[in-house]
Amino acid sequence: MKFNKDEVCILIPTLNEGPTIGTVIREFKGLGYDHILVVDGKSTDNTVKIAREAGANVRTQSGVGKGNAIIEAFEVIEQPYILMVDGDGTYSAKDAEKMLTPLFLGFDQVIGDRLINAEEGSFSGLNLFGNHMLNLLFKVAHSRDLHDILSGYRAFTKLAVQQMHLKEKGFEIETEISVESVRNGQRIMVVPIRYSRRPGTATKLSPFHDGIKIVSTIYRLARVNNPMFYFGMMGVLTSLLGLLVGVYVLLEWLKPGHIEHIPLTILTVLLIVVGIEIFMFGMISDMLLVFHREIIREIQLLQSPKSPK
């Protein structure tokens, strides 16, 4: 399918990507994409100079972190379609048409799945395992399988971006985008893409530090997207803690001499009761969320223009 490339903005957030950014921009330019926006996070190398020489429009972000760069870019992009790609040379411009075509067919967002056709050596064993575990957690927490929630190769319609309320400052931004897309009921397509070994600078993502942040983001954002999971997990863990304390109290009481732990017995009851109440609150919140979504859907149907008779 042919589409108007003038309606597409290529968004590239960068931080010290001097070895690769020029090649990335020239590849997209060579395919006919003239609107290329680089949002730079105050690079200390020659990233900005190379990006401008390659023909990109370069802006320096006011905040710090990849999330801030993307949020600031979304506010200034005027084109109706956005293709977001990292500037590290791991993604191929040749996949751009595959990424963008679904948008012109009515989809709101397209996610490039790196995990299917990844080049050998592009992921360490630990990173690959971590990606699969995070995707599984997202599927359980948000009831949607998006295959690769951390992919940096995504395509959006301008309207889909405007529906999102993004706040994450760092590498958690892809996770938040995925959550917001599910929360807004957007039509999402996942397409397999090529993913190459990083040819330039070393990755800035820390597997453990940023991994913990991403897990926290998945769980925290479930509060408004899947309260049954958010409060249910909290309630189950609280009740289990109460049961463990209760088992200890019972074992102590069964010993010769019948050692009693009255305060621990009270704590056991409190933990179990509070855990059950939190779980029930999750069920009620989930019911209210379903009701809220039905109301919003009915309002949208009433506001949609009627076809002429």
Side-chain angles (χ1 to χ4, degrees), residues 7-309:
E7 294 183 330
V8 178
C9 176
I10 308 297
L11 166 60
I12 312 176
T14 59
L15 178 62
N16 296 328
E17 304 292 1
T20 55
I21 186 62
T23 301
V24 172
I25 294 171
R26 284 189 291 272
E27 285 180 353
F28 280 102
K29 283 279 189 179
L31 292 174
Y33 298 96
D34 294 323
H35 301 292
I36 300 179
L37 173 63
V38 171
V39 182
D40 186 71
K42 304 180 180 69
S43 293
T44 56
D45 65 358
N46 55 357
T47 297
V48 171
K49 179 176 180 293
I50 293 174
R52 286 192 173 128
E53 290 176 349
N57 176 23
V58 182
R59 296 173 62 99
T60 300
Q61 68 183 85
S62 59
V64 178
K66 184 178 182 179
N68 261 322
I70 291 171
I71 292 171
E72 291 180 20
F74 283 166
E75 292 175 353
V76 300
I77 291 175
E78 298 178 352
Q79 285 75 22
Y81 303 99
I82 303 168
L83 180 63
M84 183 178 79
V85 61
D86 291 340
D88 57 9
T90 53
Y91 299 102
S92 173
K94 294 178 181 178
D95 286 325
E97 185 169 349
K98 182 194 300 186
M99 294 287 296
L100 289 163
T101 297
L103 299 183
F104 291 85
L105 296 176
F107 284 87
D108 301 302
Q109 183 181 164
V110 181
I111 299 175
D113 186 353
R114 306 165 297 163
L115 306 179
I116 296 178
N117 295 326
E119 180 181 311
E120 185 177 355
S122 57
F123 286 104
S124 67
L126 178 61
N127 282 341
L128 188 60
F129 175 78
N131 270 275
H132 284 301
M133 290 299 100
L134 290 171
N135 283 301
L136 178 61
L137 176 61
F138 184 91
K139 180 180 178 180
V140 173
H142 297 278
S143 304
R144 186 78 180 269
D145 185 6
L146 297 182
H147 299 273
D148 189 6
I149 63 167
L150 301 184
S151 175
Y153 208 1
R154 293 171 184 252
F156 316 87
T157 64
K158 179 68 174 176
L159 179 60
V161 165
Q162 291 172 340
Q163 291 175 341
M164 301 178 191
H165 302 286
L166 303 175
K167 299 177 182 178
E168 299 298 325
K169 311 299 186 208
F171 288 110
E172 311 94 285
I173 187 67
E174 284 97 352
T175 303
E176 187 179 31
I177 288 173
S178 299
V179 172
E180 283 291 294
S181 302
V182 172
R183 186 179 69 84
N184 288 297
Q186 293 181 359
R187 292 159 293 181
I188 305 170
M189 176 176 281
V190 179
V191 299
I193 57 170
R194 284 163 287 185
Y195 188 70
S196 306
R197 284 179 291 183
R198 191 180 176 98
T201 56
T203 179
K204 303 169 186 69
L205 189 145
S206 169
F208 292 103
H209 182 260
D210 291 306
I212 291 172
K213 284 186 175 181
I214 291 167
V215 169
S216 173
T217 302
I218 292 173
Y219 178 72
R220 175 166 44 83
L221 295 179
R223 182 182 60 223
V224 293
N225 196 41
N226 187 357
M228 185 66 239
F229 174 83
Y230 179 83
F231 292 105
M233 284 288 292
M234 198 183 302
V236 168
L237 291 176
T238 303
S239 295
L240 284 176
L241 180 59
L243 287 173
L244 289 175
V245 176
V247 169
Y248 170 76
V249 171
L250 178 62
L251 292 176
E252 286 289 293
W253 184 82
L254 291 174
K255 289 181 179 179
H258 300 293
I259 302 173
E260 295 183 353
H261 295 281
I262 302 302
L264 287 180
T265 303
I266 295 173
L267 178 62
T268 296
V269 175
L270 283 175
L271 286 173
I272 293 174
V273 170
V274 169
I276 292 173
E277 288 182 347
I278 294 174
F279 186 85
M280 294 301 296
F281 181 76
M283 291 182 64
I284 295 171
S285 299
D286 195 66
M287 292 170 61
L288 290 174
L289 180 62
V290 171
F291 179 71
H292 171 74
R293 286 173 174 167
E294 288 296 327
I295 292 295
I296 295 298
R297 189 176 293 111
E298 291 296 328
I299 292 174
Q300 290 174 341
L301 288 174
L302 289 174
Q303 290 179 341
S304 60
K306 296 180 180 179
S307 58
K309 295 182 180 179

